[in-house]
Amino acid sequence: MVAEPDGPEDRKPQSDEARSAFTPPAGVEQPVVPEEEHPTSEFAVPEGLATEPVNDQEGSAFAPPSTYSARHAPAAFTPAHGIPLVKLSKDAPWQDRMRTMLRLPVGDRPVPEAPRKEDETGPAVGRVLDLTLRIGELLLAGGEGAEDVEAAMFAICRSYGLDRCEPTVTFTLLSITYQPSLVDDPVTANRTVRRRGTDYTRLAAVYQLLADINAEEHDVTPEEAYRRLAEIRRNRHPYPGWVLTSAAGVLAGAASVLLGGGATVFFVAALGAVLGDRLAWLCAGRGLPEFYQFLVAAMPPAAMGVLLTVLHADLRPSAVITGGLFALIPGRALVAAVQDGLTGFYITASARLLEVGYFFVAIVVGVLSVLYVAVQFDAELNPEGVLNPVERPVVQILASMVLCATFAILLQQSRDTVLFATLNGGVAWVIYASIAVTAGASAVMATAVAAGLVGLFGQLIARYHHTSSLPYVTAAIGPLLPGSATYFGVLAIAQNNLDEGFASLAKAAALALAIAIGVNLGGELARLFMQAPGAAAARRAAKRTRGF
C-alpha cells in the first residue's frame, strides 16, 4: 500500500499556469489587508432591519405569497356591468338550459348540480364522447341547426358528469373536447357526417332519448343509450317509396291549384312531378350527386308545361311548371342555413347557403334547358298567369293544407305531427294572402310575417312536447316557397330578358331569406317570452361589435 503524502515536501509543486495573475512576484511587498472587510450590495438589507426566516420548502405556484395580506389586499377587478350570477331553472327545457351555458364563457358556467348517472367515478370518458358524437351525427344529418346540435351534445356530457367539455359543429364535422382538470391532458374525439337524409320520425325518437338522458327521474346508462340508439338506426321509414312518390305528385298538383289551376292542371302537374321524382330516384341509385338529381327532377314538370303550350290547351302551363318546382325548392336547408348564420355559426351557414345555391342552380338549369328548347320552337310562354293569380280563398286554403300534408309525408314525419303541420301551414297561407293579396302590401313582408307565425307556433308546440320544432315548421312553410318568382326568372332568362330574369331570381332569394328569418325570429320570440317559472337567467349571446 502506498502512503499518502502528508508533508509539504511530498506535495507536487504548483505550476505557473495555476498561479493567479494578481499574485505579486517575488521581491514585491504584499498589499496591506484592511482590518475588517465588509462587502456591500445595493440589494443588501440595511442594518437594523429584521428579516423573515427563509422557508426552504418548495411551495405551490398557485399559493398566495408570504407577504400577502387579505386585510390590506387591493380591490379586485370587477367589470362595469358586474359579474352575473347564473341560475338555471330545472323547470326550463333542457334545450334552453344547455343553450344558455353554451353562450357563456367556460369560467362562468355553473357546475352540474345533478349527481352522476352511475357511481362516483362515472362512466368511461371514451364511451360518453362516442355516444355524444353518434347522437350529434343523427341530429346534424336530420337537418338540425348547429347550435341545437351543440346544445344536445353538451347536455349528454353534463348528464354523465363530464362538465368541462366543448362541442364544435362545422357543417359535416363534429368534434368534442373534454378536459378532466386544469393539469390533465384534454381528450378529443371527432366524427364526420358522410350521408344526410330526411326522416323526422327518427329525429323525434332521438329527441325522446335526449329527454330521458337529461331527466332526473330516468337513469339511462350509456349501455341503455347505445341500445336505444341502435334501435333508432334500424327502424324503417314510416312511409314506403310509392307513398313518397305519390305525395310528391299531390304536392305539385296542390301547388298548381294554389296558383289558379283547375282539376286538369292538378293532374298534369302531378304527373310531371311523379316523373321527375322517379328520374331522381334512378339517378340516386346510379350514384349521381344531388346536383344532377335536382336537375333531372326539374325537367319533366317544365316539359309538361311546354307540352300544354304547344297543344294550345286553354290551361295554365305556368301553374304546372311552378307547381313542380314547389317539391324541389330546398326550404329545409335554407332555414337551417339562415338559422346558423343568425346564431353565429358563420362557417356552417356559408357552407349550407352554398349548398342551397347549388340546388337552385340545378333547378334553374333543368327548367331553363326545357324552356330554351321550347322558345326555339316558337312556344308562346308567358308569365301572365303567375303574375295575376285567381282569388279563390276557400280552394286555395284547402290546397295549401294539402300541400303541407304531402310535404310532411315527404319529410317522413310521424302521423301525429302531420295534422298540426297541416293546420300551421293553412294559417300561414291565410296570413300571407291577407297581407299580400287583400291588403296589397309587399310580398316579402307578408312572407316574413307568415313565416314568423309558423316559427312561433311550431316552437311552442315543440316546447310542449319537448322535441324538435322542425316537424312542425318545415312542412308548414311549403305554401310560402318562392316557386312563382323562380319560374318567372328562369323564363325571362330563356327569352333573353336578362334584367327581368335576374331581378325575379333576386326576388325569389329575398322571399326565401324572409321565410328563413321569419321562422328563426318566431322561434326566438317563443324562447324569449315563454320562459319557465323561476327561470332567472336569459340566454346570452355575443354583443354587437362596434368596428373592432
Side-chain angles (χ1 to χ4, degrees):
M1 178 176 297
V2 180
E4 295 182 0
D6 295 331
E9 65 277 9
D10 297 332
R11 296 183 180 179
K12 184 178 179 180
Q14 191 176 11
S15 62
D16 295 337
E17 292 80 7
R19 295 179 181 178
S20 173
F22 298 97
T23 302
V28 179
E29 297 181 356
Q30 296 286 342
V32 180
V33 180
E35 297 180 358
E36 290 187 4
E37 185 176 2
H38 300 281
T40 59
S41 172
E42 57 180 337
F43 300 102
V45 180
E47 297 181 358
L49 181 63
T51 58
E52 297 181 358
V54 179
N55 188 6
D56 295 336
Q57 296 181 358
E58 183 179 359
S60 173
F62 298 95
S66 58
T67 57
Y68 174 80
S69 174
R71 182 185 302 272
H72 304 288
F77 172 75
T78 303
H81 54 79
I83 299 177
L85 178 63
V86 180
K87 293 182 179 180
L88 300 178
S89 174
K90 296 182 180 179
D91 297 330
W94 65 266
Q95 296 96 325
D96 290 349
R97 290 187 281 114
M98 296 302 110
R99 194 177 288 109
T100 299
M101 284 188 287
L102 279 176
R103 294 185 176 184
L104 287 174
V106 180
D108 296 342
R109 294 175 184 173
V111 295
E113 300 178 359
R116 298 179 184 270
K117 294 293 182 180
E118 292 186 350
D119 55 1
E120 296 181 356
T121 59
V125 174
R127 291 183 61 82
V128 174
L129 297 184
D130 181 71
L131 175 65
T132 303
L133 290 174
R134 290 179 183 273
I135 294 179
E137 177 188 9
L138 284 181
L139 294 177
L140 188 62
E144 278 288 2
E147 187 180 33
D148 295 327
V149 177
E150 284 194 0
M153 297 170 63
F154 192 70
I156 297 171
C157 291
R158 287 182 66 90
S159 297
Y160 291 111
L162 308 184
D163 55 324
R164 297 186 185 91
C165 62
E166 282 296 328
T168 304
V169 177
T170 308
F171 193 42
T172 58
L173 180 63
L174 299 171
S175 177
I176 187 167
T177 302
Y178 170 68
Q179 189 170 9
S181 65
L182 295 176
V183 296
D184 293 331
D185 295 332
V187 181
T188 303
N190 55 64
R191 194 174 184 88
T192 303
V193 180
R194 299 294 182 185
R195 294 186 58 186
R196 286 173 293 172
T198 304
D199 189 344
Y200 283 177
T201 302
R202 178 179 296 176
L203 188 66
V206 174
Y207 265 89
Q208 183 60 46
L209 174 59
L210 287 171
D212 293 342
I213 291 176
N214 288 275
E216 295 183 358
E217 58 270 15
H218 293 83
D219 188 10
V220 182
T221 62
E223 288 73 19
E224 176 69 15
Y226 268 110
R227 184 188 62 80
R228 292 178 57 177
L229 190 61
E231 292 179 356
I232 293 173
R233 287 181 174 275
R234 287 195 299 264
N235 285 344
R236 300 182 60 183
H237 299 303
Y239 307 104
W242 66 271
V243 173
L244 298 179
T245 302
S246 302
V250 176
L251 188 153
S256 64
V257 174
L258 196 65
L259 298 172
T264 306
V265 172
F266 177 91
F267 287 107
V268 175
L271 179 60
V274 167
L275 292 177
D277 183 77
R278 286 293 90 192
L279 287 177
W281 276 97
L282 182 62
C283 294
R286 297 296 185 272
L288 290 179
E290 286 184 299
F291 179 87
Y292 301 105
Q293 298 176 28
F294 274 83
L295 189 151
V296 172
M299 297 178 71
M304 288 293 176
V306 171
L307 182 61
L308 292 180
T309 304
V310 172
L311 295 178
H312 300 285
D314 190 15
L315 298 173
R316 300 169 67 91
S318 57
V320 173
I321 300 175
T322 305
L325 298 182
F326 269 81
L328 299 177
I329 297 177
R332 174 182 59 87
L334 179 64
V335 171
V338 176
Q339 179 182 358
D340 289 340
L342 294 176
T343 53
F345 294 84
Y346 301 114
I347 297 178
T348 305
S350 302
R352 281 181 164 172
L353 284 177
L354 183 61
E355 181 186 37
V356 172
Y358 271 103
F359 292 159
F360 266 107
V361 170
I363 296 172
V364 169
V365 170
V367 177
L368 188 60
S369 302
V370 178
L371 295 184
Y372 182 77
V373 174
V375 170
Q376 299 304 315
F377 284 94
D378 298 329
E380 298 180 358
L381 295 169
N382 61 82
E384 295 179 358
V386 179
L387 295 178
N388 301 310
V390 180
E391 295 186 19
R392 297 176 298 178
V394 177
V395 175
Q396 289 177 335
I397 291 174
L398 294 177
S400 65
M401 296 176 67
V402 172
L403 189 153
C404 294
T406 51
F407 202 172
I409 294 175
L410 287 177
L411 294 174
Q412 300 282 1
Q413 293 185 199
S414 59
R415 293 172 176 83
D416 56 344
T417 62
V418 173
L419 178 60
F420 184 86
T422 302
L423 296 177
N424 201 10
V427 172
W429 175 256
V430 170
I431 299 299
Y432 169 80
S434 300
I435 299 176
V437 180
T438 305
S442 171
V444 177
M445 183 188 69
T447 302
V449 173
L453 291 178
V454 168
L456 177 62
F457 296 151
Q459 188 63 233
L460 290 178
I461 193 66
R463 288 168 65 89
Y464 178 77
H465 291 288
H466 299 286
T467 184
S468 173
S469 61
L470 290 182
Y472 307 102
V473 171
T474 306
I477 64 175
L480 306 177
L481 294 176
S484 301
T486 303
Y487 164 69
F488 177 46
V490 174
L491 178 58
I493 293 176
Q495 295 174 343
N496 285 329
N497 298 326
L498 299 182
D499 294 339
E500 297 180 4
F502 286 114
S504 182
L505 291 179
K507 180 183 178 180
L511 292 173
L513 291 177
I515 293 174
I517 294 175
V519 169
N520 181 265
L521 180 60
E524 293 295 330
L525 290 177
R527 299 190 188 103
L528 181 63
F529 296 108
M530 299 297 175
Q531 292 286 344
R539 297 186 308 126
R540 301 185 180 275
K543 293 183 178 180
R544 180 173 65 93
T545 56
R546 297 175 177 85
F548 54 86

